[in-house]
């Protein structure tokens, strides 16, 4: 009787440990603001975080066991499945940018990394995806490029010379107009 009781207590402890680990993993995944999702080889969702649920407009338990075709318009689902297929075929991580539409009307640009999901025997059993919102960064990059172009146009129009210093390399770069203004040449 004592051995049976000890065995039951040990089983309950093991079960409680597994539940704590699952709860911790769930909390970790849901703490990440990026969209996280994982699918089986057939494209059926095995899980996702709350951020991904926000994209889909469904709770996580209504995403599991569904495919992209159940959750997204046909064209979007086709795009996702094709990226999944290529990544699984190559057996290596793959990244792409994609515009995503949220139920609340937001239209945001995401950088999505898809990578093979391995089982205990090292075989690929599906895929893991992580999508990060890069909308603001891309807007800032575009604004910076536009400002650089305006500055370059202004310098060309004013026929002023300029130089740049690269902090990473410690090198100066001079344009030809600056040499002319200084009365020297590139070769000098």
């Amino acid at each position: 009787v004592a051995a049976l009781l000890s065995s039951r207590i040990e089983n309950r402890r093991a079960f409680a440990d597994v539940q704590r680990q699952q709860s911790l993993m769930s909390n970790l995944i849901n703490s990440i603001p990026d969209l996280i999702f994982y699918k089986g080889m057939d494209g059926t969702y095995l899980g996702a975080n709350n951020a991904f649920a926000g994209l889909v407009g469904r709770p996580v338990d209504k995403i599991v066991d569904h495919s992209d075709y159940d959750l997204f318009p046909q064209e979007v689902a086709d795009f996702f499945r094709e990226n999944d297929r290529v990544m699984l075929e190559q057996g290596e991580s793959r990244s792409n940018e994609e515009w995503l539409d949220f139920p609340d009307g937001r239209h945001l640009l995401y950088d999505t990394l898809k990578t093979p999901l391995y089982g205990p025997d090292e075989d690929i059993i599906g895929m893991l995806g992580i999508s990060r919102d890069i909308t603001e960064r891309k807007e800032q990059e575009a604004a910076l490029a536009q400002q650089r172009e305006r500055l370059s146009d202004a310098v060309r129009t004013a026929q002023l010379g300029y130089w740049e210093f690269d902090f990473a390399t410690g090198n100066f770069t001079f344009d030809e107009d600056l040499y002319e203004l200084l009365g020297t040449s590139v070769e000098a």
Side-chain angles (χ1 to χ4, degrees), residues 27-57:
N27 290 338
L28 286 171
I29 289 172
N30 284 319
S31 295
I32 298 171
D34 296 335
L35 311 178
I36 299 176
F37 54 92
Y38 37 106
K39 304 177 191 178
M41 293 295 285
D42 64 352
T44 301
Y45 284 88
L46 303 172
N49 69 350
N50 290 336
F52 185 82
L55 166 67
V56 176

Side-chain angles (χ1 to χ4, degrees), residues 1-20:
V1 172
L4 182 59
L5 184 56
S6 176
S7 175
R8 283 187 178 172
I9 291 171
E10 188 60 36
N11 285 343
R12 285 186 182 160
R13 283 184 186 149
F15 182 73
D17 285 344
V18 168
Q19 284 186 312
R20 276 193 294 277

Side-chain angles (χ1 to χ4, degrees), residues 54-57 100-108:
L55 166 67
V56 176
L100 300 176
D101 294 315
F102 285 76
D104 63 7
R106 290 178 295 149
H107 181 69
L108 302 174

Side-chain angles (χ1 to χ4, degrees), residues 86-105:
V86 171
M87 185 278 305
L88 289 169
E89 213 171 73
Q90 293 174 348
E92 57 188 42
S93 297
R94 179 178 164 85
S95 183
N96 64 284
E97 292 180 3
E98 52 199 24
W99 286 96
L100 300 176
D101 294 315
F102 285 76
D104 63 7

Side-chain angles (χ1 to χ4, degrees), residues 17-179:
D17 285 344
V18 168
Q19 284 186 312
R20 276 193 294 277
Q21 287 177 344
Q22 287 176 337
S23 177
L24 176 62
M25 283 304 283
S26 177
N27 290 338
L28 286 171
I29 289 172
N30 284 319
S31 295
I32 298 171
D34 296 335
L35 311 178
I36 299 176
F37 54 92
Y38 37 106
K39 304 177 191 178
M41 293 295 285
D42 64 352
T44 301
Y45 284 88
L46 303 172
N49 69 350
N50 290 336
F52 185 82
L55 166 67
V56 176
R58 296 182 182 193
V60 172
D61 65 339
K62 301 294 184 198
I63 295 170
V64 173
D65 294 329
H66 289 85
S67 75
D68 290 318
Y69 294 100
D70 300 322
L71 306 173
F72 300 100
Q74 172 90 31
E75 185 178 308
V76 174
D78 286 344
F79 176 77
F80 291 164
R81 289 303 299 147
E82 178 60 18
N83 282 321
D84 294 352
R85 183 193 65 73
V86 171
M87 185 278 305
L88 289 169
E89 213 171 73
Q90 293 174 348
E92 57 188 42
S93 297
R94 179 178 164 85
S95 183
N96 64 284
E97 292 180 3
E98 52 199 24
W99 286 96
L100 300 176
D101 294 315
F102 285 76
D104 63 7
R106 290 178 295 149
H107 181 69
L108 302 174
L109 182 62
Y110 277 78
D111 179 29
T112 297
L113 171 70
K114 292 182 178 180
T115 191
L117 181 62
Y118 294 95
D121 58 357
E122 301 296 319
D123 287 338
I124 296 175
I125 60 169
M127 51 122 347
L128 168 67
I130 301 172
S131 300
R132 175 163 288 167
D133 181 359
I134 59 170
T135 310
E136 186 176 332
R137 185 185 85 207
K138 286 293 187 173
E139 288 170 350
Q140 290 171 349
E141 288 173 358
L144 182 59
Q146 190 176 36
Q147 288 175 348
R148 285 183 140 242
E149 185 61 33
R150 283 185 193 149
L151 179 59
S152 179
D153 288 346
V155 168
R156 265 194 312 278
T157 301
Q159 295 181 335
L160 298 173
Y162 70 92
W163 57 270
E164 293 181 22
F165 178 72
D166 184 339
F167 286 98
T169 64
N171 294 327
F172 284 95
T173 304
F174 301 92
D175 80 326
E176 291 181 23
D177 290 337
L178 184 60
Y179 286 107

